[in-house]
Amino acid sequence: MIIRQFLLWTQHESAGRRAEAASSLARAYLYANLDAAARWEAKTAITALLDDPSPLVRRALAEACANAAEAPRTLVVALAQDQAEIAGLVLARSPVLSDADLVDCAAVGDESGRIAIANRPTLSPMLCGALSEIAGATALRALAANPGAQITRNSLMRIVDRHGDDAALREALLARADLPVDVRQAVTARLASTLSAFVTGCGWLSAERSERVTREARERTTLGLAEGSDRTDLARLVAYLRQAGQLTPGLILRAMLSGRMAFTEAALTDLSGLAAARVAGLLHDPRGSGMAALYRRAGLPPALEPAFAAAMSAWHEEATGLRESGTAGLSRRMIERAVTACERLPFAEAHAIVALLNRFDAEAAREEARGLARALASEAAVDAVLETIPAALMESYRQDRPRLAA
């Protein structure tokens, strides 16, 4: 009798009253202890309400069924195909919808539906892959910011390829704790390209100078990302750089001159095709013959070989080896040795290499100056604080210090 009373209410001329009846009927089906006959009547009734011309009624059904695992599948699938504000309720929450249902809704629906899907508490790798192929930047921002989204490396790369120019999306991707190092490199590369295009478009730098500044900034960032990475991550990063055309001799030389031997080994391993242990042995051969053989096997430019050899010679002259620092800072001593080695080459071969090394030296000098300036500023701040302390108080402290120490 109760179910049939609800059915009478669903025939009311007021859409608001019909929506109330639809909500009550759906909740009775989901949560009331109904017998089999009453349950069948309720299910039939709420399914029939999908034909109600008022969106208020269908929205009431969606709100009642959005979180319910026992909601009729046919009802939920139909609601997921409804207008955006109704479909979004079940797309974002319903446990009834399968990955296949959600992929289909993402493919044929609008961006608001894709945003709702991207905000679900958990998303499988397959569903994330589908969104990475068809969703717009707004939905992908929601996906990237969702900690429950199991996004694979390939899907992340696809997101960067399609919408890497979106600043908010890049920020959301970089905030992910599980972002692979090669994807992080791809994101920063897109950022560098965007900034380069902006600077060039404003006329602040020529295209050639902007390209050089961008490349050198990207190389510094690359070495920073490589810092602390394990061998597997380094290999993946190097493979990406090679595929993207960014594994240049200049980057490898920068890594060597910065003392980044782990990255250097990974790069030469990828280029030479030799085993990592074999590359390490050749690279660190103190006689230098192993380095020469490895250099040629890697297919690097002959003109740069003296610079590489001199850098490694400077490395080996250290009793314990140059330890990797916390930053990707260039070693001016190693640069000086490389410049000296290249100055003996014919001018036609040496001028571009020496110019590159001189830019490295200028960069290292500026970094040294920044560090010294920070240290001097810190000392000045301490001195300023000490000057504010009354002399009598300082004298009292000096007299009490032996007693306090005891």
Side-chain angles (χ1 to χ4, degrees), residues 314-381:
W315 171 276
H316 288 302
E317 284 180 3
E318 290 289 333
T320 59
L322 292 174
R323 300 185 184 277
E324 296 194 13
S325 63
T327 62
L330 292 154
S331 166
R332 299 191 71 187
R333 187 183 66 82
M334 294 178 72
I335 294 171
E336 181 182 356
R337 290 289 299 273
V339 170
T340 301
C342 292
E343 284 177 342
R344 295 192 291 267
L345 296 173
F347 178 79
E349 298 179 10
H351 76 281
I353 303 170
V354 172
L356 172 65
L357 292 170
N358 286 338
R359 291 199 301 274
F360 283 167
D361 187 56
E363 181 183 320
R366 290 179 65 179
E367 185 59 35
E368 287 181 3
R370 291 190 195 102
L372 179 59
R374 285 193 293 268
L376 292 174
S378 297
E379 292 178 6

Side-chain angles (χ1 to χ4, degrees), residues 5-6 12 26 30 39-40 70 72 108 116 124 148 152 159 172 194-196 213 217 228 278 330 336 347 356:
Q5 184 63 48
F6 285 150
H12 199 281
L30 293 171
R39 187 171 178 80
W40 178 84
E70 292 77 21
V108 301
S124 69
T152 65
I159 291 172
T194 301
L195 292 176
S196 176
V213 170
R278 177 64 173 158
L330 292 154
E336 181 182 356
F347 178 79
L356 172 65

Side-chain angles (χ1 to χ4, degrees), residues 25-229:
L25 194 57
R27 295 179 191 282
Y29 171 81
L30 293 171
Y31 307 116
N33 187 19
L34 303 176
D35 60 39
R39 187 171 178 80
W40 178 84
E41 286 182 357
K43 179 178 179 181
T44 303
I46 58 177
T47 303
L49 286 174
L50 290 170
D51 294 330
D52 193 290
S54 174
L56 291 177
V57 175
R58 303 193 303 278
R59 181 182 177 88
L61 290 175
E63 289 174 343
C65 298
N67 294 314
E70 292 77 21
R73 174 174 168 75
T74 52
L75 176 72
V76 175
V77 170
L79 291 171
Q81 307 289 337
D82 212 310
Q83 61 191 55
E85 65 174 10
I86 297 171
L89 294 171
V90 294
L91 289 174
R93 292 180 281 167
S94 177
V96 174
L97 295 171
S98 67
D99 280 358
D101 296 325
L102 293 167
V103 169
D104 181 65
C105 290
V108 301
D110 56 17
E111 189 67 0
S112 64
R114 298 183 188 112
I115 294 171
I117 294 171
N119 281 315
R120 288 175 69 87
T122 59
L123 292 97
S124 69
M126 184 190 79
L127 186 52
C128 293
L131 289 173
S132 72
E133 291 290 343
I134 59 179
T138 304
L140 292 176
R141 287 199 294 268
L143 180 68
N146 186 346
Q150 303 174 50
I151 316 175
T152 65
R153 174 192 169 277
N154 289 338
S155 295
L156 289 166
M157 281 294 190
R158 185 59 177 151
I159 291 172
V160 177
D161 289 342
R162 293 183 62 236
H163 293 289
D165 293 332
D166 186 274
L169 175 58
R170 291 196 302 265
E171 184 177 351
L173 287 169
L174 292 174
R176 289 187 68 89
D178 60 347
L179 193 70
V181 65
D182 51 338
V183 180
R184 195 173 292 274
Q185 167 66 21
V187 173
T188 55
R190 289 297 290 270
L191 172 60
S193 298
T194 301
L195 292 176
S196 176
F198 176 76
V199 169
T200 303
C202 292
W204 296 341
L205 293 176
S206 66
E208 293 76 13
R209 182 164 180 77
S210 177
E211 192 280 331
R212 174 187 289 178
V213 170
T214 300
R215 183 184 65 249
E216 292 178 350
R218 186 176 61 227
E219 289 177 352
R220 289 192 294 270
T221 301
T222 298
L223 295 183
L225 292 176
E227 178 68 17
S229 298

Side-chain angles (χ1 to χ4, degrees), residues 257-268:
L257 294 172
S258 302
R260 294 296 187 271
M261 287 303 160
F263 180 89
T264 303
E265 290 177 15
L268 294 176

